Amino acid sequence: MIRFEKQGHIGILTVSRPEALNALNSEALDGLLSTVQKIADDISVRALIVTGEGKAFVAGADIAEMKDLDADAGRGFGLRGQAALSAVEALPMPVIAAVNGYALGGGCELALCADIRIASEKARFGQPEVGLGITPGFGGTQRLPRVIGVSKAMDLILTGRTVKADEALAMGLVDRVVPPDELMPEALKLAGLIAANAPFAVRASKRAIRRFTDAGQTEGLLYEAEMFGECFATNGQKMAMEAFVNKAPKDEFIDE
Ligand code: CAA
């Protein structure tokens, strides 16, 4: 489910579960965490590209797996996802997200853990969680406002709307947009520029910039996990995820 290859000093990590649009279930999250832990120890990887197999980058956390969770299990699932994604963010070498398609929910949150984001013109971004009766749970409430600012994060998270690559670029959610067949060449070119620089200085620069963006984030992630868990004790979460899994229309949300 998680593939890793090296091209010289550049690593390429691919989320590969195309039959479910690379949705992150527990197995994929565990694979991601263990792969990332190995990459962290490999000093010869000077830059890492993260991408998805097929037409999606990652279409989110696995809704079928989350559907029947209760509040405790929901909180646990959120913490498990946070751990895997935080490990990506904490990698010592720069990480480039090459966003080839849908980056929704946990997929957008994975892209946010990269240091630089390049999108294909086909990429689509969004945090659709509130339509599923939950909050973003893999770090989106903390990382999205840090990347695009509070009000734009409110817009995306509270509406749950999906944006195309050009709007994502205008919002600052991605750094550049390229035609689909230029995505990997562009990501490799950027990774190559980074990998040609002094490795210690590159890692030290990343660490220093992260000091700035990480301020207050650890506490914020714990609070996010609490909120995410509480959603799993609501009717909205049960109804909306049941509807997605059964390909049925959602009922109207009740006041709760
Ligand atoms: N979880 C589980 N399965 C998923 C999935 C997800 N997030 N996203 C897609 N899939 C599955 C579909 O169920 C479908 O499976 P089957 O072929 O077995 O029916 C397969 O992937 C292909 O998907 P679609 O047929 O739906 O493809 P499409 O091109 O018609 O639509 C899509 C694409 C708009 C991305 C649609 O799949 C979709 O809306 N997916 C869900 C997106 C979403 O809500 N993500 C957020 C999840 S919650 C989250 O991530 C919480 C968090 O913060 C941790």
Side-chain angles (χ1 to χ4, degrees):
M1 268 185 202
I2 305 294
R3 280 205 325 268
F4 177 65
E5 58 178 292
K6 268 165 81 172
Q7 290 187 15
H9 285 297
I10 300 170
I12 303 173
L13 184 151
T14 307
V15 182
S16 178
R17 198 191 165 210
E19 68 283 3
L21 303 186
N22 304 326
L24 298 170
N25 58 9
S26 294
E27 200 186 334
L29 288 172
D30 291 350
L32 181 62
L33 181 59
S34 62
T35 307
V36 165
Q37 282 166 341
K38 283 191 204 106
I39 299 169
D41 291 335
D42 185 350
I43 196 169
S44 74
V45 180
R46 296 187 186 177
L48 178 73
I49 297 170
V50 176
T51 194
E53 178 91 45
K55 77 170 181 180
F57 177 69
V58 167
D62 191 299
I63 300 170
E65 182 172 339
M66 287 186 291
K67 183 171 76 73
D68 298 320
L69 300 182
D70 62 15
D72 272 356
R75 184 171 167 278
F77 187 70
L79 288 170
R80 196 171 187 165
Q82 283 187 358
L85 269 60
S86 291
V88 174
E89 184 183 57
L91 277 166
M93 68 288 291
V95 178
I96 298 164
V99 183
N100 50 306
Y102 291 113
L104 301 175
C108 189
E109 292 168 306
L110 174 60
L112 287 167
C113 292
D115 300 304
I116 302 170
R117 281 160 288 281
I118 307 179
S120 145
E121 286 164 353
K122 286 191 177 161
R124 298 287 181 273
F125 296 83
Q127 296 288 160
E129 286 88 348
V130 291
L132 288 164
I134 56 172
T135 61
F138 290 176
T141 66
Q142 302 306 302
R143 294 192 178 98
L144 191 59
R146 282 177 168 79
V147 171
I148 64 173
V150 173
S151 54
K152 291 194 195 80
M154 289 284 186
D155 171 350
L156 285 188
I157 290 175
L158 303 183
T159 64
R161 71 191 178 93
T162 300
V163 296
K164 294 183 177 171
D166 54 354
E167 189 175 352
L169 180 67
M171 285 182 135
L173 180 49
V174 297
D175 304 291
R176 51 184 97 165
V177 177
V178 295
D181 56 351
E182 285 173 28
L183 180 66
M184 283 314 279
E186 184 73 10
L188 285 163
K189 198 167 111 195
L190 185 60
L193 286 173
I194 293 170
N197 289 321
F200 183 87
V202 166
R203 292 196 304 269
S205 299
K206 169 168 173 168
R207 261 204 314 280
I209 297 171
R210 283 285 166 207
R211 274 288 259 267
F212 164 69
T213 56
D214 287 355
Q217 184 167 283
T218 307
E219 192 198 342
L221 286 171
L222 283 174
Y223 190 73
E224 180 189 81
E226 289 302 325
M227 294 300 105
F228 187 71
E230 282 187 22
C231 293
F232 287 84
T234 65
N235 174 278
Q237 177 270 328
K238 295 284 169 261
M239 180 279 291
M241 290 200 182
E242 195 77 47
F244 178 84
V245 168
N246 295 323
K247 302 186 192 298
K250 277 187 291 190
D251 299 336
E252 278 192 26
F253 287 111
I254 58 166
D255 294 320
E256 60 182 338

